Amino acid sequence: MNMDMESDNFSDLQQQAEQLTAEMESGTDLPRVTRNLAQILEAGERLLSKVAPISQDSSDVKASILLGTKGFDVPKISQKLEGLSAAKTFEPLEPVRDTDIQSFLKNERENALLAVIEQTRKNTFDEVERRHWECMENEWEREKQKILNSLRGLGQDTVDFQPESESFLAEPVSIQGRSNLDNIEMAYVRQVYVYNEHVIAGSIRPNLGDMFLDVAKTIDDKQVTELWEMVKCMVEVPLISAKSIKDTRQDYRTQSAFVDKAREYLEQTYAKYIDITISSNLQQAQRGGIPGTYNIVRSFLNVRPPNIPNLEDGLVDGHPTWAMVYYCLRCGDLQAAQQVVDKCGHNLGDFKSFMHEYVSSEDHRLSSGSETKIQLQYRRIVKNGTDPFKRAVYCVIGHCDPDENHPEIADKIDDYLWLKLRQVQTDNDDQHNQDNFTLKKLQCLLYEEFAQFEAAIVYMHKLCHAVHVALVLYESNMLLLPQTNQAQLLTTDSSDDGCMRRLNFARLITLYTRKFESTDAREALQYFYFLRDLKTAQGENFFMSCVSELVLDTREFEMLLGKIERDGTKRPGAIDKFHGDTHKIIDLVAKDTEAKGLFEDAVRLYDLAKKHDKVLELLNKLLSQVVSQASSTQSSRDRLRSLAFGIAERYRAQGAEGNLSNASTFFLLLDLLTFFDCFHDGNMDEALTVIKQLQLLPLAENAVETKVMAFRHYNDEVRRCLPDILLATMNILHSQYKNAKTTTSQSPYSGWTGRGEDGGKMKL
């Protein structure tokens, strides 16, 4: 009975297996594999031999399963891979025997190809490295200038460095808010604005020094007012016509005029000081009603009698003789000094004749004979005397002992400087006499304090007043500039004579504007306009270079440069008033922007500069990178799409000058934007209509060769999009294949098409 049950079970099992086999044959097109037990055993052993050695790593098993399902024979592939040579990349093949001609030619051909590839690779890497270092050097040069421009002082400088925006070496910094200019600086700016208005209009320029003096009087600062009165006096020096400012400054006539003006100013201010002193002490001064310097000096000595013992040669009207003579000379009144000497009669010996000769001479100088005599008297008698006023008068009249500082009476800088200026000899013959005390020697002695314009400006350059003094001197052609605008703030030149210093005016201005250009860009432009005649190290206009840097730092493109409206008219920017042809400035800013990789900003700037071909070139590069992406709000694609369509509308309506190839590529990319918009929105029929109208792809077998030949003539920007176009078109065709039985309505296409009346190209 058990046998019968086992037979029945085996029969059922056999029947189920046959039924399963029948179902497999009916459900697949694959051929049936029939194996006997021996074959199954052999296959099992072969698989076991493969599995056993890799019990710890199942990678071969996984590879066999993966590749075996695709029809690859893993053992044969392994054998082929093991037979391959592990030669280095681009290593030339081993030479073959000379008798094997065919192999020799094949080897030579492959070696030639590998050599070309290797050379191309090397050239590519070299070019990339060269451009990389060139970019880094340019960037560092800008950063270096930023650092140098931020140095303060002459020797013990501190660095107030702020990184350049949009720099490879720093993150962009944007400082917004209220103005960084204080009330005094704003008052100066208003005067600079008015002055530039006259310069731009070509009308008679007002006196910039007088305008800044009005500012000083407005702020009611006595010291600042005195500063501008001094500057006003010095810039009135008549300059001789010379080849350069250096030649003008070194000419003895100019130096003589400078010395006279400086001395006159010191004498006038001292006379005012005496008058104020007397007015404050009228009862003690006992001035009386007689006008003149003589009586003023007498009254002053009533208030401030010299507290010096052992004064020589008696009294005049109750006061020491030499003190009266000195103070009359200090006030600049030679006639009053002579009046004092005449009242003394013969008490002063030969000095009376020396004084008459000095006063009556045209240049107020003694003859060489008289000068020798008075200097001899000074060395023998006066120098060792007890009267400091007498020593000072002899030094003034006879140019004696220029090394003497007269500390008893010249205890203030003004008095000390006046004495030195009175002893300076500036005639042409004196410049070649090594023994004479010349202006050059005085400058070498005193330049760090007050003897030269350039050194004085740098000494107090942190004050806004010093910057505006430099403006006045620069406009008066009195400022000595360095050979290059990359120099330090104060420098010397080997070609200069003596202790002459040069001021880097461009750096001074950029240092001053640095603190407020981010909040007051319009005001910074007013100062940059003074640099319009200077050149950068690259030979560019310094004003234009500063404008470019200002625009990139502040990113105030529309406010500074203007804007193109939808109707094609240009809304002027702040620079339009400074330059008749602003296209050069905008073009320079656009190039700098493009060099920094800010291509969207560069597109707008080139459009503003009417460089239409450059606009299309950059837009083509930008659009080709995003044309196949799905549109999303505030994405780069959406932003570029809006920009591109706006420019296309304007160029179509008004015309533009540009390369035909760039124009056709631009409008083709706009059509492709429309195509991908339809594709990503699911409008497959409309997308297919667009791609058909563009006639970019072969939609029939007999058009393949024609389209391949035509595709070679497209720009790289279009060819770069081909894979995405093909994939999207294949997906559209597949979708239509699946919905072949469904009737769909065809949406009319109204986008930019390449098959319009003019072929989708600009009218150039």
Side-chain angles (χ1 to χ4, degrees), residues 496-688:
D496 293 338
D497 186 19
C499 296
M500 189 171 286
R501 296 296 185 271
R502 293 174 179 262
L503 175 68
N504 192 333
F505 179 67
R507 175 162 293 175
L508 180 71
I509 296 300
T510 54
L511 276 175
Y512 178 68
T513 58
R514 178 68 52 81
K515 69 174 183 177
F516 62 83
E517 62 184 16
S518 59
T519 57
D520 304 87
R522 292 178 181 271
E523 285 71 19
L525 280 179
Q526 298 289 338
Y527 289 93
F528 291 155
Y529 189 62
F530 284 89
L531 309 178
R532 61 191 180 276
D533 295 327
L534 302 180
K535 298 292 182 181
T536 65
Q538 293 75 28
E540 299 174 351
N541 183 279
F542 212 99
F543 169 65
M544 295 170 61
S545 179
C546 289
V547 170
S548 176
E549 185 175 346
L550 179 65
V551 172
L552 293 177
D553 285 346
T554 62
R555 304 190 64 78
E556 295 285 355
F557 296 104
E558 294 184 7
M559 186 269 284
L560 293 172
L561 303 179
K563 180 184 178 182
I564 298 293
E565 304 289 357
R566 294 182 63 88
D567 59 357
T569 59
K570 181 180 182 295
R571 186 172 66 193
I575 67 166
D576 285 81
K577 66 180 296 181
F578 294 102
H579 207 282
D581 182 13
T582 60
H583 292 162
K584 290 183 178 180
I585 299 179
I586 300 173
D587 187 34
L588 176 63
V589 179
K591 290 178 180 177
D592 292 342
T593 307
E594 182 185 1
K596 286 180 174 288
L598 307 174
F599 297 118
E600 290 187 45
D601 294 330
V603 167
R604 295 183 175 89
L605 292 172
Y606 279 123
D607 186 35
L608 195 62
K610 295 186 178 181
K611 299 287 185 177
H612 301 144
D613 195 48
K614 195 66 178 179
V615 171
L616 298 178
E617 178 185 334
L618 290 180
L619 274 177
N620 290 343
K621 292 180 180 179
L622 293 173
L623 290 174
S624 65
Q625 299 173 15
V626 300
V627 66
S628 61
Q629 298 176 5
S631 181
S632 60
T633 307
Q634 296 183 346
S635 64
S636 59
R637 183 185 189 277
D638 187 64
R639 187 173 60 252
L640 284 171
R641 185 182 187 280
S642 176
L643 175 63
F645 273 83
I647 289 177
E649 289 178 359
R650 181 154 41 84
Y651 284 8
R652 276 238 174 150
Q654 302 170 8
E657 297 179 357
N659 183 277
L660 183 61
S661 176
N662 286 337
S664 60
T665 300
F666 174 62
F667 281 96
L668 179 56
L669 288 172
L670 294 184
D671 291 335
L672 291 175
L673 281 173
T674 303
F675 165 73
F676 281 105
D677 285 343
C678 296
F679 171 73
H680 290 300
D681 292 341
N683 301 326
M684 301 302 178
D685 293 334
E686 188 171 351
L688 185 60

Side-chain angles (χ1 to χ4, degrees), residues 734-764:
H734 178 64
S735 175
Q736 287 199 342
Y737 171 75
K738 291 193 301 183
N739 302 301
K741 297 181 180 181
T742 304
T743 304
T744 57
S745 59
Q746 301 292 331
S747 301
Y749 169 61
S750 58
W752 297 99
T753 68
R755 301 294 296 170
E757 294 180 359
D758 58 356
K761 301 174 182 177
M762 283 197 308
K763 296 178 180 179
L764 300 175

